[in-house]
Amino acid sequence: MHFSQYTDVNTFYAATKDILMRHEAQNVIPLGNALIGVRGMDKTDWRDPANWFMATVSDHSGIHLTAIMTPPHNLAIYATDNQNNPQAISCLIEGLVQTGVEIPGILAEKSLAEMFAPLYCARHLKAAKIQMNQRIYELTEVNPAIPKAPLRLPQERDLSFLPYWNEHFMQEGLDKAFALNDDAEAHRHLIRMGHTYIMEVGGTPVSMTKITRRLETVCVIAGVYTPPYFRRKGYATAATAAASQIGLNQGYKKVVLYTDLANPTSNSIYQKIGYRPIGDSLMMGFE
């Protein structure tokens, strides 16, 4: 097995694109990150590839493992065709050691994560902790019986509430401490990106969702959030259904989302909209 580290995102993308595209819906994270680097239009925060770790593990038959990390996020790993090769996993771990790269955790298909984590932790005397047990869903058609609400893109005036919604989503959905970024320009930048959609009822914003990681045939729904005082009214369902239809109308063949299996309500809602599970993944942290 041969470990290869890449310092140029274009070279990494050229080497791994065809392999990752075999399971495009599953690989929205590594493909989306690589495309962010290739397009180079936004180098704010974690999006500058100069700070990334990119690697593959291969032998005479081709690439067995693809890995990309955009600090401070976890290392995203994909085993080609979801065929886990113990020798490739060991080679990747040794490559991380030899290059002096420490990782905060991993994001990978469940069986791959369960193979990688104990080997990495034994090598580094660390313990693995599941941060999120995820299910990956994809949709090709929105259930016509689900009501869809009109959505709009955010405007400058929405800075009065949107930063708080984004931070509370991070706090609730990703278990991160609430710490509002007081840089107004950073929030304006998020608005200009055109990913966020807002649902209103009677002129009052009640829910939001985002369409992100627009790949070749797939786009991703993320950041679904409804403030507590507007919940249990079907707003998140209506907003997600509408955003999913927007994605399809924009020409994408599939719309993908990740869910937390610890939240049975959201998993049930998404399936009613028309989403079908295609696999499970684990987000694991190393302590």
Side-chain angles (χ1 to χ4, degrees):
M1 290 292 172
H2 178 68
F3 170 85
S4 301
Q5 184 177 4
Y6 299 77
T7 56
D8 177 69
V9 68
N10 293 280
T11 305
F12 173 78
Y13 185 60
T16 61
K17 176 188 174 184
D18 290 346
I19 292 170
L20 294 171
M21 284 292 293
R22 295 179 189 178
H23 292 88
E24 184 182 12
Q26 176 187 332
N27 287 318
V28 292
I29 302 298
L31 278 169
N33 287 349
L35 274 175
I36 287 171
V38 168
R39 291 167 178 167
M41 296 186 298
D42 177 14
K43 293 188 177 181
T44 60
D45 197 23
W46 54 268
R47 299 175 182 86
D48 188 348
N51 302 318
W52 297 358
F53 170 80
M54 299 167 283
T56 58
V57 175
S58 60
D59 63 11
H60 65 277
S61 64
I63 292 175
H64 289 274
L65 276 179
T66 302
I68 180 171
M69 181 171 67
T70 57
H73 302 117
N74 289 353
L75 180 72
I77 315 172
Y78 169 67
T80 302
D81 295 328
N82 289 315
Q83 298 297 309
N84 299 328
N85 185 311
Q87 288 182 316
I89 293 172
S90 295
C91 182
L92 175 59
I93 293 172
E94 188 61 30
L96 289 166
V97 172
Q98 294 301 321
T99 54
V101 174
E102 293 193 15
I103 61 175
I106 55 170
L107 173 65
E109 185 274 328
K110 186 175 182 179
S111 66
L112 174 58
E114 290 174 337
M115 288 183 67
F116 179 95
L119 294 174
Y120 180 85
C121 289
R123 189 74 164 79
H124 291 270
L125 300 179
K126 291 189 176 184
K129 178 182 179 182
I130 295 178
Q131 296 171 327
M132 191 178 296
N133 194 355
Q134 300 175 314
R135 181 150 291 164
I136 309 171
Y137 290 87
E138 69 177 22
L139 170 145
T140 57
E141 182 180 6
V142 177
N143 181 357
I146 299 294
K148 293 182 285 294
L151 302 179
R152 66 170 178 83
L153 293 170
Q155 304 169 18
E156 177 82 10
R157 59 186 170 89
D158 297 319
L159 288 174
S160 62
F161 67 89
L162 199 56
Y164 296 92
W165 285 17
N166 282 318
E167 293 297 336
H168 278 292
F169 167 77
M170 296 290 286
Q171 182 182 31
E172 292 184 8
L174 302 179
D175 194 26
K176 293 188 176 182
F178 179 82
L180 184 65
N181 182 352
D182 60 3
D183 181 359
E185 186 54 33
H187 297 294
R188 291 189 179 96
H189 174 73
L190 291 177
I191 289 177
R192 289 194 297 267
M193 290 176 68
H195 293 164
T196 304
Y197 291 83
I198 294 172
M199 173 183 169
E200 291 184 335
V201 172
T204 300
V206 297
S207 189
M208 76 169 183
T209 187
K210 299 177 182 181
I211 301 178
T212 66
R213 299 184 180 272
R214 292 174 166 91
L215 307 180
E216 288 193 6
T217 68
V218 167
C219 66
V220 178
I221 296 293
V224 180
Y225 178 77
T226 302
Y229 39 87
F230 289 133
R231 292 175 185 173
R232 291 178 293 278
K233 299 179 184 295
Y235 295 156
T237 303
T240 303
S244 301
Q245 189 62 57
I246 289 173
L248 295 175
N249 292 347
Q250 291 177 345
Y252 295 100
K253 295 180 180 179
K254 297 177 182 179
V255 184
V256 173
L257 56 77
Y258 280 64
T259 67
D260 184 352
L261 285 174
N263 188 338
T265 300
S266 63
N267 282 269
S268 174
I269 287 173
Y270 295 140
Q271 291 183 70
K272 290 177 182 177
I273 292 172
Y275 283 90
R276 296 293 176 261
I278 61 170
D280 292 345
S281 72
L282 285 178
M283 183 184 298
M284 305 182 76
F286 300 141
E287 302 174 348

